[in-house]
Amino acid sequence: SIFHPEASRVAQLAAGGKKGLAQSIFQVGGNGGTAIGPLLAALIVLPHGRLAVLWFAVAAIMGALILTRVGRWYKRVVNNISGQRRKVRSVVDHLSKRRINMALAVLVVLTFSKQFYLASMTSYFTFFLIDKFGVSIQYSQIALFAFLAASAIGIIAGGYIGDKIGRKYVIWGSILGAAPFAIAMPYAGLTLTIILAIIVGLVISSAFSAILVYATELKPGKVGMIAGLFFGLSFGLGGVGAAFFGWLADIRGIYFVFEISTLLPLLGIVAAFLPDLKKIDKE
């Protein structure tokens, strides 16, 4: 988890004015790995046993080698910047401290709704498919891969669109926009359930890079602190959400968990309280 705040700073330094897209590219690495996990479990681990997991360590070693080059580049850039700092007009110059803090609180609520819903999907979607439709473990894992792969694509799309039209609209549309599809999912047939899951993954995952870059614009010069806060919330809420829904599933069942969790994207309505930083930047 210590890796993510500083990596976000590196991504924004390399952004070239496209912070949303840069943040999305960084995040899609992790989400892409998460997405391919169930597929690899179905195709490699289940047929060959748990020792097959050792082969995946090769990816970690390759990542460490690549990061040594990134670290050297980052050091050069930081050294060049250190003596050239000057006052730059911020997109939040016209906002009061109270308005900025309220906007950050709204982003925390949105992160809660998104991460709790994703915790429900990533932890219990496979069990839901097996319980309701009687599909095999391999089929359920492939269906989860489809949802997570759509989420990875959504991250890239959200960053790119946020740079073009403004991050507030991506945040609002991605979380609230996923609500009708999520709400319909528990009542659909097998094929439609998977289609709806793909749409939800594509839409709702476009929010996080937009949320993170929007938050760093609210607190200019504090990219590491803000990235640490929101990545910490993301990981922490995901773990809490998985535990909470597991406790709830033991009491009321998997189907009830899905009915309740599909209401979470409705919290996206609070994005209406976010100031439009794109307009402020043009004033």
Side-chain angles (χ1 to χ4, degrees):
S1 296
I2 294 173
F3 164 77
H4 290 82
E6 204 65 20
S8 294
R9 197 197 309 272
V10 173
Q12 294 204 17
L13 283 173
K18 297 181 179 179
K19 292 183 179 181
L21 181 60
Q23 185 67 41
S24 295
I25 292 171
F26 159 54
Q27 288 176 218
V28 82
N31 286 80
T34 301
I36 203 171
L39 185 64
L40 294 175
L43 299 180
I44 297 176
V45 178
L46 286 175
H48 301 291
R50 286 175 293 180
L51 284 177
V53 174
L54 292 174
W55 288 103
F56 303 145
V58 175
I61 295 170
M62 290 177 61
L65 294 174
I66 292 169
L67 283 176
T68 59
R69 294 181 60 87
V70 175
R72 287 195 290 268
W73 173 85
Y74 181 36
K75 182 179 180 179
R76 290 197 302 271
V77 172
V78 170
N79 288 338
N80 290 336
I81 291 174
S82 60
Q84 304 175 14
R85 295 192 181 278
R86 62 184 185 273
K87 177 66 176 176
V88 179
R89 183 178 181 271
S90 169
V91 295
V92 294
D93 282 346
H94 301 296
L95 294 179
S96 67
K97 185 176 180 180
R98 180 176 178 275
R99 188 79 189 279
I100 291 172
N101 290 336
M102 186 191 78
L104 286 171
V106 169
L107 294 178
V108 169
V109 172
L110 293 170
T111 302
F112 162 79
S113 67
K114 173 183 176 294
Q115 292 305 129
F116 256 58
Y117 180 73
L118 289 179
S120 170
M121 286 293 291
T122 54
S123 299
Y124 301 106
F125 185 48
T126 54
F127 298 116
F128 172 76
L129 294 176
I130 293 169
D131 185 64
K132 183 177 180 181
F133 301 108
V135 300
S136 66
I137 294 174
Q138 285 86 349
Y139 187 96
S140 69
Q141 291 289 318
I142 292 170
L144 179 59
F145 163 74
F147 167 75
L148 295 173
S151 298
I153 295 169
I155 289 171
I156 291 288
Y160 176 80
I161 296 170
D163 286 335
K164 294 292 184 182
I165 68 171
R167 287 172 247 288
K168 173 182 175 178
Y169 304 108
V170 172
I171 295 168
W172 195 351
S174 66
I175 297 179
L176 188 61
F181 305 103
I183 291 170
M185 201 185 307
Y187 312 103
L190 176 58
T191 301
L192 184 56
T193 295
I194 295 172
I195 292 172
L196 290 171
I198 291 171
I199 295 172
V200 170
L202 187 66
V203 175
I204 200 169
S205 293
S206 62
F208 189 72
S209 60
I211 288 174
L212 186 55
V213 175
Y214 187 100
T216 61
E217 290 176 342
L218 288 172
K219 292 287 187 179
K222 298 182 178 179
V223 175
M225 183 192 77
I226 293 298
L229 171 64
F230 280 91
F231 272 114
L233 281 172
S234 176
F235 298 149
L237 289 172
V240 172
F244 170 76
F245 286 123
W247 169 79
L248 193 61
D250 286 340
I251 297 173
R252 300 295 301 272
I254 295 292
Y255 193 86
F256 179 79
V257 166
F258 261 70
E259 284 185 310
I260 295 299
S261 64
T262 55
L263 301 177
L264 286 167
L266 291 173
L267 285 173
I269 192 67
V270 302
F273 296 103
L274 293 173
D276 192 338
L277 301 188
K278 190 176 181 66
K279 289 182 180 177
I280 291 170
D281 193 29
K282 292 181 177 180
E283 289 177 356

